[in-house]
Amino acid sequence: MTAAISAPFSFTEFKQSLSTANKRKLLRWANSELHVVFYRNSSGQELSGLLQVGSQQCYVASSNQDALQRAMTNVKLEDGSEIVIKTLSLAELARNAHLYNLSIHLIDKEDGLTIGGALMQLFGITAILKDDEGNEVIYEADAFFFEPESDAETLPYGAVQHWRDIELEYTSAREPSEIKSLYVFDDQLDWNNPLFPELPDNAKALSTLSPNAQIFFEHIRVPPLMSWDEETVSTIVPEPPYENSLLAANNLSAFNVLRAMVDQDIVPTVDDITLMIKKDIKHENEPADSPERWEIRVSFTTPMGFNAVFSPDWVEASLCKANTELPDTTGTHLASEKLRERIVNHLAWNFFQHGRSFTKTLFRTDLQGLLPGFIINSYGPFQPDYADKRFPCLARFQCGEHGVPVLLLGQNEGNYVCMPLAFEEIPEADVSALIPRRSELISMESKSMLLSARYERLAIPASLVDFPDHWYQGIRVSNRYLKSKFIFGMRFNTLMTEMENESATTANSSLKWIVVGCAVALIGVMLVMNL
């Protein structure tokens, strides 16, 4: 997308230009205007017209309004409905096609052409802009949807966007310092409002961007067209709803809706949840009498039909054998009912925290902390009690002015066992003396306590943990958006796991990674937003 309006759309020239590999030249068509078919029903509601072309559902458009109307002559409509022709840019139509996983069918007199997939991303959500130093940067934008919370104010669609720095032409891998992806936010909104989600570090205010960048932001933030299959029924929260004695009921209303979605759409019954357990190979320098460890991977096929694959965890075999809800042998096992419920709650609280932030994730580590393990600042192992319905639970670990989101996993010797959900570097002066084995958590080099997201367990005194109301009642990224990103993440994780498990020769390694790259691009193209 560019700021200037391109020349009138020529079907013939556009068709010819598709044969070129030059995406820059293709991008000049993004601002061309097209006539697009809409239907107006008897109640006056307007919906975009969709045409089935082979296996694809398509928007119907043309640069020639007369040709479009002739093509619609024999279309049968419901009583009281009529065809309406509207004008949209190719960029706007392609953006919606990308969001809804649709294609565009272009009509020109007696000819027709269907475009979709990567072209929808190129025309709809891509722009060539300049950075602060005047260097060209090619961005692909992702707009965040927000969850309305009862009567509370919500954020408009696209008020925060992630612009991913991409390359239109293949080049060798760039250094990380050369990648300039960024978050952009509408700074006319009051981001001091405690109910607003916390902005990412170094997010850029819209008002500080160039005029062309601001135009691109406004294009991306236009609310999507209404879909024919727009969901009108909210997720049904089962009765009685989930309760947690650590949290007031009014702090669980939003979570209960999200949890119901995870319970109904993400986690299947116990018969479809597998724990694949195999004996871990001892390291070369590991003592011969070291405890036996198991590699445990939880996976399942969701009720929506896609595979969910998570990072494995390594657990001492004796800890699994000591827990009645976990298998006591290697092999493939099914989950118990209590373990399934813990998986639902574990994922739901992780989703809830993802919704409070804008961090990009593939959800691969969202089951970390589910199984037994060791606490880095305590003696002895941690054994989760899967019958204790208080855990897991989102909470805040207070370190001076720092409020670190943590997942409470249980209790140990009067302390909460916590897993940080964000990376934080806490200055030594802000690390409470009440924390067990405090000195061992302080880095001698940085003079700070380093916390990694979803990586390790900490014992934290209950006096340093609280549950601020605005964390649970505030505005979040929408549940549907999270679900769509989870689908993408799981498809990617499944692909990577399959590649890892393949036994191939070293000669095939480079080819395998090329295939992975192509497949990941395809998955990105086929992602369904399910707005």
Side-chain angles (χ1 to χ4, degrees):
M1 178 184 176
T2 58
I5 298 297
S6 66
F9 187 88
S10 166
F11 181 89
T12 303
E13 291 181 18
F14 178 76
K15 191 173 181 179
Q16 292 172 346
S17 68
L18 291 178
S19 61
T20 179
N22 192 326
K23 294 181 179 179
R24 293 171 183 273
K25 288 184 177 180
L26 278 177
L27 199 54
R28 72 183 179 87
W29 293 101
N31 291 305
S32 300
E33 289 191 340
L34 293 170
H35 302 290
V36 183
V37 173
F38 283 77
Y39 297 121
R40 181 185 294 137
N41 61 25
S42 55
S43 61
Q45 185 182 46
E46 291 183 353
L47 295 168
S48 49
L50 296 179
L51 179 69
Q52 190 75 30
V53 179
S55 61
Q56 304 175 70
Q57 280 196 314
C58 307
Y59 291 124
V60 187
S62 177
S63 60
N64 187 314
Q65 186 169 350
D66 292 337
L68 191 60
Q69 288 176 330
R70 286 196 300 271
M72 296 295 106
T73 301
N74 297 323
V75 172
K76 295 182 179 180
L77 301 175
E78 295 180 355
D79 292 342
S81 299
E82 61 179 334
I83 289 177
V84 178
I85 305 296
K86 292 188 171 185
T87 302
L88 293 176
S89 67
L90 175 58
E92 182 61 17
L93 195 59
R95 183 178 68 91
N96 279 274
H98 170 68
L99 289 175
Y100 289 117
N101 194 32
L102 300 171
S103 299
I104 298 175
H105 186 68
L106 296 169
I107 293 173
D108 182 66
K109 297 179 181 178
E110 302 301 322
D111 202 356
L113 173 69
T114 300
I115 57 174
L119 287 176
M120 300 301 93
Q121 290 176 268
L122 178 68
F123 293 133
I125 60 172
T126 306
I128 301 175
L129 302 171
K130 296 289 182 67
D131 63 14
D132 294 338
E133 289 77 40
N135 301 312
E136 180 185 272
V137 185
I138 303 164
Y139 287 119
E140 190 175 272
D142 183 19
F144 289 93
F145 297 73
F146 296 94
E147 191 76 20
E149 297 301 339
S150 60
D151 296 328
E153 178 186 4
T154 190
L155 286 169
Y157 169 76
V160 180
Q161 300 175 15
H162 179 249
W163 291 5
R164 188 167 66 93
D165 179 4
I166 65 169
E167 295 177 298
L168 290 181
E169 299 87 18
Y170 174 77
T171 60
S172 58
R174 291 178 293 173
E175 293 295 326
S177 60
E178 297 176 351
I179 298 175
K180 301 174 182 177
S181 298
L182 73 154
Y183 289 88
V184 185
F185 67 97
D186 182 354
D187 50 326
Q188 291 187 345
L189 299 169
D190 179 17
W191 289 97
N192 292 317
N193 187 333
L195 294 178
F196 281 20
E198 185 176 349
L199 288 168
D201 294 338
N202 303 319
K204 285 203 169 187
L206 175 61
S207 63
T208 66
L209 300 184
S210 68
N212 280 356
Q214 292 184 26
I215 291 172
F216 181 55
F217 185 94
E218 296 298 336
H219 160 65
I220 295 297
R221 77 183 303 179
V222 174
L225 299 172
M226 184 175 290
S227 167
W228 279 91
D229 59 354
E230 194 83 43
E231 292 184 33
T232 56
V233 180
S234 301
T235 301
I236 299 175
V237 177
E239 293 291 343
Y242 166 86
E243 295 179 341
N244 190 316
S245 60
L246 297 174
L247 294 169
N250 61 336
N251 282 346
L252 286 172
S253 58
F255 174 76
N256 266 317
V257 176
L258 175 58
R259 184 188 182 280
M261 183 195 79
V262 173
D263 187 34
Q264 297 164 22
D265 296 344
I266 303 298
V267 182
T269 62
V270 293
D271 293 338
D272 292 318
I273 302 174
T274 60
L275 284 77
M276 299 182 64
I277 303 176
K278 60 183 180 181
K279 188 175 179 180
D280 192 30
I281 300 174
K282 289 185 181 293
H283 299 297
E284 183 177 347
N285 298 323
E286 197 170 353
D289 60 348
S290 60
E292 180 181 343
R293 288 186 306 175
W294 288 349
E295 177 189 311
I296 305 177
R297 186 188 294 271
V298 178
S299 62
F300 49 80
T301 299
T302 73
M304 299 175 66
F306 63 90
N307 293 328
V309 178
F310 302 89
S311 296
D313 205 352
W314 286 265
V315 182
E316 281 195 7
S318 60
L319 296 181
C320 283
K321 293 176 180 180
N323 194 310
T324 58
E325 299 300 325
L326 296 175
D328 58 5
T329 62
T330 57
T332 301
H333 305 267
L334 300 180
S336 67
E337 287 291 351
K338 287 182 180 178
L339 183 60
R340 180 196 181 275
E341 184 176 6
R342 180 61 66 97
I343 289 172
V344 169
N345 293 336
H346 206 95
L347 286 177
W349 280 118
N350 271 280
F351 274 36
F352 197 87
Q353 174 57 26
H354 289 315
R356 294 187 57 253
S357 69
F358 298 99
T359 305
K360 291 293 179 178
T361 178
L362 292 173
F363 301 86
R364 192 176 180 91
T365 60
D366 275 21
L367 284 184
Q368 293 297 302
L370 174 73
L371 301 172
F374 286 86
I375 307 168
I376 63 172
N377 63 329
S378 178
Y379 298 101
F382 167 67
Q383 185 68 261
D385 179 0
Y386 295 120
D388 192 337
K389 296 183 180 297
R390 296 174 299 168
F391 308 107
C393 177
L394 175 68
R396 179 174 65 180
F397 167 32
Q398 300 178 83
C399 302
E401 296 182 354
H402 304 268
V404 182
V406 296
L407 196 65
L408 303 187
L409 303 176
Q411 289 181 303
N412 178 268
E413 298 179 352
N415 299 311
Y416 281 126
V417 178
C418 307
M419 182 177 67
L421 296 180
F423 173 82
E424 293 286 351
E425 184 173 355
I426 311 298
E428 182 177 6
D430 291 333
V431 181
S432 172
L434 298 175
I435 297 176
R437 299 169 66 177
R438 173 185 182 276
S439 61
E440 298 177 28
L441 300 176
I442 305 297
S443 166
M444 299 299 293
E445 294 182 4
S446 64
K447 302 297 181 183
S448 62
M449 178 173 68
L450 301 177
L451 301 178
S452 299
R454 297 173 180 84
Y455 181 68
E456 52 202 13
R457 301 166 183 83
L458 291 168
I460 303 296
S463 61
L464 300 180
V465 173
D466 67 355
F467 309 88
D469 291 344
H470 65 275
W471 276 31
Y472 307 91
Q473 299 177 17
I475 299 166
R476 299 175 297 105
V477 174
S478 79
N479 296 342
R480 293 182 192 176
Y481 180 89
L482 289 172
K483 183 166 69 173
S484 72
K485 294 304 180 184
F486 180 76
I487 294 171
F488 170 75
M490 289 299 108
R491 285 176 174 168
F492 179 85
N493 295 340
T494 299
L495 178 67
M496 293 304 296
T497 300
E498 290 173 353
M499 298 303 293
E500 290 169 3
N501 292 337
E502 279 186 11
S503 55
T505 61
T506 305
N508 288 335
S509 294
S510 59
L511 176 61
K512 283 169 58 181
W513 285 108
I514 292 173
V515 172
V516 168
C518 294
V520 169
L522 178 62
I523 288 174
V525 170
M526 297 305 293
L527 174 63
V528 182
M529 183 59 72
N530 288 329
L531 302 179

PDB file of all heavy atoms in Angstrom, residues 34-47:
ATOM      1  N   LEU A  34     -12.180  -0.440  -6.902  1.00  0.00           N
ATOM      2  CA  LEU A  34     -12.970  -1.507  -7.511  1.00  0.00           C
ATOM      3  C   LEU A  34     -14.426  -1.355  -7.111  1.00  0.00           C
ATOM      4  O   LEU A  34     -14.750  -0.846  -6.035  1.00  0.00           O
ATOM      5  CB  LEU A  34     -12.463  -2.876  -7.041  1.00  0.00           C
ATOM      6  CG  LEU A  34     -11.060  -3.302  -7.492  1.00  0.00           C
ATOM      7  CD1 LEU A  34     -10.641  -4.561  -6.739  1.00  0.00           C
ATOM      8  CD2 LEU A  34     -11.018  -3.535  -8.998  1.00  0.00           C
ATOM      9  N   HIS A  35     -15.322  -1.810  -7.971  1.00  0.00           N
ATOM     10  CA  HIS A  35     -16.737  -1.918  -7.630  1.00  0.00           C
ATOM     11  C   HIS A  35     -16.958  -3.297  -7.019  1.00  0.00           C
ATOM     12  O   HIS A  35     -16.510  -4.319  -7.565  1.00  0.00           O
ATOM     13  CB  HIS A  35     -17.597  -1.736  -8.879  1.00  0.00           C
ATOM     14  CG  HIS A  35     -17.364  -0.421  -9.569  1.00  0.00           C
ATOM     15  ND1 HIS A  35     -17.765   0.787  -9.043  1.00  0.00           N
ATOM     16  CD2 HIS A  35     -16.755  -0.136 -10.758  1.00  0.00           C
ATOM     17  CE1 HIS A  35     -17.419   1.764  -9.861  1.00  0.00           C
ATOM     18  NE2 HIS A  35     -16.812   1.230 -10.923  1.00  0.00           N
ATOM     19  N   VAL A  36     -17.629  -3.342  -5.885  1.00  0.00           N
ATOM     20  CA  VAL A  36     -17.755  -4.570  -5.108  1.00  0.00           C
ATOM     21  C   VAL A  36     -19.230  -4.860  -4.846  1.00  0.00           C
ATOM     22  O   VAL A  36     -20.023  -3.948  -4.565  1.00  0.00           O
ATOM     23  CB  VAL A  36     -16.990  -4.456  -3.765  1.00  0.00           C
ATOM     24  CG1 VAL A  36     -17.055  -5.764  -3.003  1.00  0.00           C
ATOM     25  CG2 VAL A  36     -15.541  -4.044  -4.009  1.00  0.00           C
ATOM     26  N   VAL A  37     -19.594  -6.141  -4.910  1.00  0.00           N
ATOM     27  CA  VAL A  37     -20.984  -6.555  -4.704  1.00  0.00           C
ATOM     28  C   VAL A  37     -21.304  -6.666  -3.214  1.00  0.00           C
ATOM     29  O   VAL A  37     -20.568  -7.307  -2.452  1.00  0.00           O
ATOM     30  CB  VAL A  37     -21.253  -7.915  -5.381  1.00  0.00           C
ATOM     31  CG1 VAL A  37     -22.645  -8.427  -5.023  1.00  0.00           C
ATOM     32  CG2 VAL A  37     -21.103  -7.794  -6.892  1.00  0.00           C
ATOM     33  N   PHE A  38     -22.414  -6.030  -2.816  1.00  0.00           N
ATOM     34  CA  PHE A  38     -22.977  -6.180  -1.475  1.00  0.00           C
ATOM     35  C   PHE A  38     -24.449  -6.562  -1.624  1.00  0.00           C
ATOM     36  O   PHE A  38     -25.072  -6.305  -2.661  1.00  0.00           O
ATOM     37  CB  PHE A  38     -22.874  -4.874  -0.684  1.00  0.00           C
ATOM     38  CG  PHE A  38     -21.499  -4.592  -0.142  1.00  0.00           C
ATOM     39  CD1 PHE A  38     -20.495  -4.110  -0.982  1.00  0.00           C
ATOM     40  CD2 PHE A  38     -21.204  -4.802   1.191  1.00  0.00           C
ATOM     41  CE1 PHE A  38     -19.222  -3.854  -0.500  1.00  0.00           C
ATOM     42  CE2 PHE A  38     -19.942  -4.539   1.690  1.00  0.00           C
ATOM     43  CZ  PHE A  38     -18.948  -4.067   0.840  1.00  0.00           C
ATOM     44  N   TYR A  39     -24.995  -7.193  -0.578  1.00  0.00           N
ATOM     45  CA  TYR A  39     -26.425  -7.496  -0.534  1.00  0.00           C
ATOM     46  C   TYR A  39     -27.051  -6.699   0.601  1.00  0.00           C
ATOM     47  O   TYR A  39     -26.504  -6.628   1.699  1.00  0.00           O
ATOM     48  CB  TYR A  39     -26.650  -8.999  -0.278  1.00  0.00           C
ATOM     49  CG  TYR A  39     -26.113  -9.895  -1.356  1.00  0.00           C
ATOM     50  CD1 TYR A  39     -25.161 -10.874  -1.067  1.00  0.00           C
ATOM     51  CD2 TYR A  39     -26.566  -9.786  -2.660  1.00  0.00           C
ATOM     52  CE1 TYR A  39     -24.668 -11.708  -2.054  1.00  0.00           C
ATOM     53  CE2 TYR A  39     -26.077 -10.619  -3.655  1.00  0.00           C
ATOM     54  CZ  TYR A  39     -25.127 -11.574  -3.346  1.00  0.00           C
ATOM     55  OH  TYR A  39     -24.635 -12.401  -4.326  1.00  0.00           O
ATOM     56  N   ARG A  40     -28.194  -6.115   0.327  1.00  0.00           N
ATOM     57  CA  ARG A  40     -28.966  -5.430   1.367  1.00  0.00           C
ATOM     58  C   ARG A  40     -30.232  -6.241   1.611  1.00  0.00           C
ATOM     59  O   ARG A  40     -31.036  -6.441   0.699  1.00  0.00           O
ATOM     60  CB  ARG A  40     -29.311  -4.009   0.949  1.00  0.00           C
ATOM     61  CG  ARG A  40     -30.094  -3.237   2.033  1.00  0.00           C
ATOM     62  CD  ARG A  40     -30.517  -1.861   1.533  1.00  0.00           C
ATOM     63  NE  ARG A  40     -29.343  -1.034   1.303  1.00  0.00           N
ATOM     64  CZ  ARG A  40     -29.182  -0.241   0.237  1.00  0.00           C
ATOM     65  NH1 ARG A  40     -30.110  -0.233  -0.725  1.00  0.00           N
ATOM     66  NH2 ARG A  40     -28.099   0.505   0.109  1.00  0.00           N
ATOM     67  N   ASN A  41     -30.408  -6.741   2.835  1.00  0.00           N
ATOM     68  CA  ASN A  41     -31.570  -7.567   3.128  1.00  0.00           C
ATOM     69  C   ASN A  41     -32.784  -6.722   3.476  1.00  0.00           C
ATOM     70  O   ASN A  41     -32.724  -5.487   3.473  1.00  0.00           O
ATOM     71  CB  ASN A  41     -31.262  -8.587   4.239  1.00  0.00           C
ATOM     72  CG  ASN A  41     -30.868  -7.921   5.549  1.00  0.00           C
ATOM     73  OD1 ASN A  41     -31.231  -6.777   5.829  1.00  0.00           O
ATOM     74  ND2 ASN A  41     -30.118  -8.644   6.367  1.00  0.00           N
ATOM     75  N   SER A  42     -33.881  -7.379   3.781  1.00  0.00           N
ATOM     76  CA  SER A  42     -35.143  -6.664   4.001  1.00  0.00           C
ATOM     77  C   SER A  42     -35.101  -5.752   5.221  1.00  0.00           C
ATOM     78  O   SER A  42     -35.870  -4.794   5.316  1.00  0.00           O
ATOM     79  CB  SER A  42     -36.288  -7.682   4.173  1.00  0.00           C
ATOM     80  OG  SER A  42     -35.989  -8.596   5.218  1.00  0.00           O
ATOM     81  N   SER A  43     -34.191  -6.018   6.147  1.00  0.00           N
ATOM     82  CA  SER A  43     -34.081  -5.164   7.337  1.00  0.00           C
ATOM     83  C   SER A  43     -33.102  -4.023   7.137  1.00  0.00           C
ATOM     84  O   SER A  43     -32.867  -3.231   8.057  1.00  0.00           O
ATOM     85  CB  SER A  43     -33.649  -6.000   8.546  1.00  0.00           C
ATOM     86  OG  SER A  43     -32.377  -6.581   8.316  1.00  0.00           O
ATOM     87  N   GLY A  44     -32.533  -3.927   5.929  1.00  0.00           N
ATOM     88  CA  GLY A  44     -31.616  -2.838   5.626  1.00  0.00           C
ATOM     89  C   GLY A  44     -30.165  -3.140   5.933  1.00  0.00           C
ATOM     90  O   GLY A  44     -29.294  -2.299   5.703  1.00  0.00           O
ATOM     91  N   GLN A  45     -29.893  -4.331   6.426  1.00  0.00           N
ATOM     92  CA  GLN A  45     -28.512  -4.705   6.749  1.00  0.00           C
ATOM     93  C   GLN A  45     -27.756  -5.047   5.470  1.00  0.00           C
ATOM     94  O   GLN A  45     -28.267  -5.744   4.597  1.00  0.00           O
ATOM     95  CB  GLN A  45     -28.510  -5.899   7.688  1.00  0.00           C
ATOM     96  CG  GLN A  45     -27.140  -6.308   8.186  1.00  0.00           C
ATOM     97  CD  GLN A  45     -27.196  -7.536   9.073  1.00  0.00           C
ATOM     98  OE1 GLN A  45     -27.866  -8.522   8.752  1.00  0.00           O
ATOM     99  NE2 GLN A  45     -26.521  -7.491  10.203  1.00  0.00           N
ATOM    100  N   GLU A  46     -26.521  -4.549   5.363  1.00  0.00           N
ATOM    101  CA  GLU A  46     -25.718  -4.784   4.170  1.00  0.00           C
ATOM    102  C   GLU A  46     -24.579  -5.753   4.487  1.00  0.00           C
ATOM    103  O   GLU A  46     -23.854  -5.573   5.462  1.00  0.00           O
ATOM    104  CB  GLU A  46     -25.158  -3.472   3.629  1.00  0.00           C
ATOM    105  CG  GLU A  46     -26.230  -2.567   3.041  1.00  0.00           C
ATOM    106  CD  GLU A  46     -25.665  -1.296   2.433  1.00  0.00           C
ATOM    107  OE1 GLU A  46     -24.431  -1.069   2.599  1.00  0.00           O
ATOM    108  OE2 GLU A  46     -26.419  -0.540   1.808  1.00  0.00           O
ATOM    109  N   LEU A  47     -24.460  -6.770   3.648  1.00  0.00           N
ATOM    110  CA  LEU A  47     -23.402  -7.759   3.784  1.00  0.00           C
ATOM    111  C   LEU A  47     -22.666  -7.877   2.465  1.00  0.00           C
ATOM    112  O   LEU A  47     -23.264  -7.755   1.387  1.00  0.00           O
ATOM    113  CB  LEU A  47     -23.983  -9.128   4.162  1.00  0.00           C
ATOM    114  CG  LEU A  47     -24.661  -9.246   5.531  1.00  0.00           C
ATOM    115  CD1 LEU A  47     -25.428 -10.562   5.615  1.00  0.00           C
ATOM    116  CD2 LEU A  47     -23.629  -9.167   6.641  1.00  0.00           C
TER     117      LEU A  47
END
